[in-house]
Amino acid sequence: MKQKKWVIPIVIIGVLVVLWFAGIIPKQIAKSFGTSYVNNHFPEMQLECVGVEYADAYGDYLITFKGTNENTYSCVIGPTYFPVSMGQGLFAIESDYAAYYK
């Protein structure tokens, strides 16, 4: 009976590990963090996340936003397994924000 208690937690942990290293969970983390970041820092632009994909060239995720003016912006967000740091590409959003909304 005691062995049955450990089966469910071990299966749940195993599924989480597989989803994490398969990139499904980090992709959702990147999407939610990136959307939150642009909504907090550039609210007037009303950017909407249209896609997140893993970029082999950068070794991180590439997140794409579309604004109300039909401009498309892409940023690198990393690191690979816990993507919470916006990087290259953020300057384009900042410069358009400064030019059109400030």
Side-chain angles (χ1 to χ4, degrees), residues 32-78:
S32 65
F33 181 80
T35 302
S36 175
Y37 183 88
V38 296
N39 287 339
N40 287 336
H41 288 85
F42 315 108
E44 291 88 4
M45 292 181 79
Q46 297 178 354
L47 297 174
E48 179 183 343
C49 179
V50 293
V52 178
E53 60 188 51
Y54 185 75
D56 288 331
Y58 299 109
D60 292 326
Y61 288 91
L62 188 65
I63 186 166
T64 306
F65 299 100
K66 188 169 234 180
T68 54
N69 57 358
E70 298 301 319
N71 285 349
T72 303
Y73 305 98
S74 294
C75 295
V76 174
I77 184 169

Side-chain angles (χ1 to χ4, degrees), residues 4 6 37 88:
K4 288 184 180 180
W6 291 101
Y37 183 88
Q88 185 177 0

Side-chain angles (χ1 to χ4, degrees), residues 1 4 12-15 18 25 35 43 46 49 52-53 56 59 64 69 80 82 86 90 97 100:
M1 185 69 175
K4 288 184 180 180
I12 291 172
I13 291 171
V15 168
V18 168
I25 293 175
T35 302
Q46 297 178 354
C49 179
V52 178
E53 60 188 51
D56 288 331
T64 306
N69 57 358
T80 302
F82 197 68
M86 300 285 281
L90 193 58
Y97 182 74
Y100 297 119

